[in-house]
């Protein structure tokens, strides 16, 4: 069982930055692929960024060059640095942990980009 707790969401102006963090419980964090997903009102949840246990990363086309995902296996955390934010980045952001048949989700954190 893995518990995920997100933090760092909030209101930011267009062009601004935010850093989301996800703290994971458990001793096998380094084995999990980690990801950040988001869901805007009326839309499906979508993958934003992911990082494998080997620290390979991939990003949605819409955030490439603006967002970066990091993991710290010593602290059991995964972070999402979001720069040059746009109003269309407004959504609830969810942390995800995945290993084999197991998938876990955090409770989500709201990110609102508005002037």
């Amino acid at each position: 069982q893995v518990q995920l707790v997100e933090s760092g969401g909030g209101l930011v102006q267009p062009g601004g930055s935010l850093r989301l963090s996800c703290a994971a419980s458990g001793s096998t964090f380094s084995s999990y692929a980690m990801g950040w997903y988001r869901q805007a009102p009326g839309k499906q949840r979508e993958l934003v960024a992911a990082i494998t246990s080997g620290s390979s990363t991939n990003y949605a086309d819409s955030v490439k060059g603006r967002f970066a995902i990091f993991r710290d296996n010593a602290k059991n955390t995964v972070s999402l640095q979001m720069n040059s934010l746009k109003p269309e980045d407004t959504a609830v952001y969810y942390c995800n942990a995945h290993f084999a048949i197991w998938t876990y989700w955090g409770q989500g954190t709201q990110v609102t980009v508005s002037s």
Side-chain angles (χ1 to χ4, degrees):
Q1 186 78 9
V2 174
Q3 293 185 326
L4 304 172
V5 179
E6 301 102 334
S7 61
L11 173 65
V12 63
Q13 292 188 340
S17 297
L18 278 177
R19 187 176 181 100
L20 305 183
S21 293
C22 173
S25 66
S27 60
T28 58
F29 174 80
S30 61
S31 300
Y32 282 79
M34 303 298 298
W36 286 95
Y37 289 71
R38 67 186 180 189
Q39 188 167 19
K43 294 189 176 181
Q44 289 188 330
R45 191 172 296 190
E46 63 175 357
L47 175 67
V48 176
I51 186 166
T52 67
S53 58
S55 295
S56 295
T57 58
N58 69 285
Y59 298 91
D61 287 343
S62 59
V63 307
K64 282 181 181 176
R66 301 189 297 122
F67 291 12
I69 187 169
F70 304 94
R71 69 187 299 158
D72 186 334
N73 291 334
K75 296 182 178 179
N76 281 17
T77 59
V78 60
S79 301
L80 184 69
Q81 178 66 42
M82 304 186 294
N83 300 324
S84 302
L85 282 160
K86 304 176 181 179
E88 51 263 42
D89 294 319
T90 296
V92 178
Y93 283 70
Y94 297 90
C95 181
N96 171 271
H98 175 75
F99 177 75
I101 63 171
W102 296 280
T103 297
Y104 302 96
W105 293 93
Q107 82 287 354
T109 185
Q110 177 70 46
V111 171
T112 302
V113 184
S114 175
S115 55

